[in-house]
């Protein structure tokens, strides 16, 4: 499975940006992780093929993720902050549920796309 990501760039704080990712096959779960310099990779958001969406605490209420045609995921990032600066990675795999909620088990990674939020 290949994941082709697009979007990213340099934007000012408070503005918006959209990331998109297309998979070569329809996947159960698709979403985005990010990694800032010196920090671990963290979940941003993911969506199931049924359209349910799940978000990391730091982006809840500001970012919106959605699936289209089963193999495309877009994420609208509003109210961007300097701390959102990171390399964003498209991810895909199976989703599962446990006592803590729904999770994405990543099997495939796309190339990273850099998002820089700076004035």
């Amino acid at each position: 499975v290949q994941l082709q990501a697009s979007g990213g760039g340099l934007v000012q704080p408070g503005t918006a940006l959209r990331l998109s990712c297309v998979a070569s096959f329809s996947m159960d779960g698709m979403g985005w992780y990010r990694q800032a310099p010196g920090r671990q990779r963290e979940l941003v958001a993911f969506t199931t093929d049924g359209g349910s969406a799940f978000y990391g605490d730091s982006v809840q209420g500001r970012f919106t993720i959605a699936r289209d045609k089963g193999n495309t995921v877009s994420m609208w990032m509003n109210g961007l902050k300097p701390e959102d600066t990171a390399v964003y990675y498209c991810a895909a795999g199976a989703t599962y549920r446990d006592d803590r909620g729904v999770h994405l088990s990543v099997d495939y990674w796309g190339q990273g796309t850099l998002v820089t939020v700076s004035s």
Side-chain angles (χ1 to χ4, degrees):
V1 177
Q2 293 185 335
L3 303 177
Q4 183 65 47
S6 61
L10 171 63
V11 296
Q12 293 187 338
T15 60
L17 202 61
R18 175 186 174 185
L19 301 181
S20 294
C21 179
V22 180
S24 55
F25 293 94
S26 181
M27 301 295 296
D28 175 16
M30 293 185 68
W32 295 90
Y33 281 71
R34 68 186 181 186
Q35 187 166 19
R39 302 190 65 177
Q40 290 187 332
R41 192 172 295 190
E42 65 171 352
L43 172 71
V44 180
F46 72 94
T47 179
T48 68
D49 59 0
S52 298
F54 302 87
Y55 299 91
D57 291 341
S58 62
V59 306
Q60 184 78 40
R62 297 189 298 123
F63 291 11
T64 301
I65 191 170
R67 292 286 288 272
D68 180 32
K69 301 177 182 178
N71 67 333
T72 302
V73 63
S74 293
M75 184 168 69
W76 290 265
M77 304 184 291
N78 296 306
L80 284 163
K81 305 175 182 180
E83 50 264 43
D84 293 317
T85 295
V87 177
Y88 285 69
Y89 296 91
C90 181
T95 60
Y96 65 96
R97 180 185 293 274
D98 64 14
D99 291 344
R100 295 174 297 167
V102 180
H103 309 274
L104 174 63
S105 177
V106 180
D107 295 313
Y108 306 98
W109 293 97
Q111 85 281 10
T113 183
L114 177 63
V115 173
T116 303
V117 184
S118 175
S119 55

